[in-house]
Amino acid sequence: MTTADVDVVIAGGGPVGLVLALELERRGLHPVVLEPRTGEIDKACGEGIMPGGLAALHRLDIDPPGHAIRGIRYEDARGAVTHRYRSREGRGVRRTALSASLRAALSARGIDLRPERVERFVHDELGVSVNGLRARWLVGADGLHSRVRSEAGLGDADRGMKRFGLRRHYAIAPWSDVVEVTFGPGWELYVTPVDASTVGVAVLGPKGVDLEAAIAAHPGLRERLAGVDVASELRGAGALRQRTLTRSTGRIALVGDASGYVDAITGEGMRVGFAQAEVLADCLARDDLPAYERAWSRSTRDFRLLTEGLVRLASSPARPAIMPAARAMPWLFGAIVERLAR
Ligand SMILES: Cc1cc2nc3c(=O)[nH]c(=O)nc-3n(C[C@H](O)[C@H](O)[C@H](O)COP(=O)(O)OP(=O)(O)OC[C@H]3O[C@@H](n4cnc5c(N)ncnc54)[C@H](O)[C@@H]3O)c2cc1C
């Protein structure tokens, strides 16, 4: 069969898959999203949408409810350094709230979102047959453990240190408008305000990293959260690092975490995924998927270099030097935060 039912089948209705659907629809293409989970989708995430990510949502007329984020504070037991964003602000948004906003936008624009999982597909030079649909392209937006990536043979082995993340919410009014990051011994703890009465607490670290133990080791946070109700179940994700050989082949492309992920240490996943979705939509609208590889590299360069650099340092014997260096050179810390927030 050569006639396509739709232009693009997107496997995965996480934030990046849904943003891609909206970007494609804006360019006059006909996407369908296949996502097995129904309702408002939750995920272990620090839930900080950086200024560039919020701007990308605003360009699509999406304004998810949440709490302003006006900067980042890094601290350890000996002190802190804070950088406040120079111009735009970001937003802490519960993943369920983001999912609801994006799903409403899809529905308002008449974009089809089907409760299906992509397992297998057949592809040739003209298109892809997947779940009974014939499409000109298939995009894997199916997260860290992407099925599309493995089926298409685009994954690459990684022998580096494996890191994982956990997150839970607490029913307490936020006390800050910055994301607070604490460097502990082997883990990093993130506190993000997500609405007027809730903060999210996430931890990153090696296999077995324990959120409760990290909170207990942080005297300030332990005191604040003592007796406070938990407001969500504990969720985990990982291994975080996922490598790809290339981001597309034939009529198949990868976007978001599925296209390769470094680490959540800089809280950039959604901003970078939205930027990838925008350039991928441009390439598909021009019928020029081969151009995506370079566009993907450009749109992820800072994330790959700076996040890779920081996670390598944080996993090395030089880890104890990170916070003293950030405190001694607040201008450098600020420049990196600004660069990543774009
Ligand atoms: C602990 C932690 C903290 C983080 N903190 C931040 C932060 O503060 N800010 C930030 O921007 N990023 C953060 N991130 C990263 C962020 O969560 C991800 O980058 C983001 O979720 C990527 O979105 P995505 O749509 O690519 O993938 P996902 O959100 O993982 O969505 C993928 C979707 O695909 C679906 N799916 C899976 N398999 C299939 C299949 N076979 N067929 C169809 N659908 C499928 C899944 O159900 C899921 O809904 C953090 C990550 C972790 C783990």
Side-chain angles (χ1 to χ4, degrees), residues 50-52 69-74 81-86 88 178-179 181 265-268 271 302 306 310 326 329-342:
M50 297 304 136
I69 292 178
R70 300 201 172 87
I72 308 280
R73 172 187 154 98
Y74 267 47
V81 56
T82 302
H83 177 77
R84 290 193 163 265
Y85 297 130
R86 288 194 192 107
R88 303 177 296 182
V178 301
V179 176
V181 185
I265 198 164
T266 49
E268 292 299 305
R271 180 190 68 77
D302 289 349
L306 293 172
L310 183 56
M329 293 179 281
W331 53 271
L332 178 61
F333 173 71
I336 293 173
V337 170
E338 286 292 333
R339 183 101 193 157
L340 284 168
R342 289 186 309 166

Side-chain angles (χ1 to χ4, degrees), residues 11-17 34-37 41 43-48 95 116-118 141-143 147 165-166 204 237 240 256-257 261 264 267-271:
V16 178
L34 306 183
E35 161 62 56
R37 293 193 283 163
I41 296 177
K43 177 187 180 283
C45 183
E47 300 178 320
R95 289 292 294 247
E116 295 178 25
R117 174 181 298 280
V118 170
D142 48 348
R147 177 83 189 190
L166 297 167
L204 300 173
L240 299 178
D257 285 8
Y261 190 67
E268 292 299 305
M270 289 185 278
R271 180 190 68 77

Side-chain angles (χ1 to χ4, degrees), residues 260-279:
Y261 190 67
V262 181
D263 198 274
I265 198 164
T266 49
E268 292 299 305
M270 289 185 278
R271 180 190 68 77
V272 172
F274 298 161
Q276 294 167 355
E278 188 181 0
V279 295

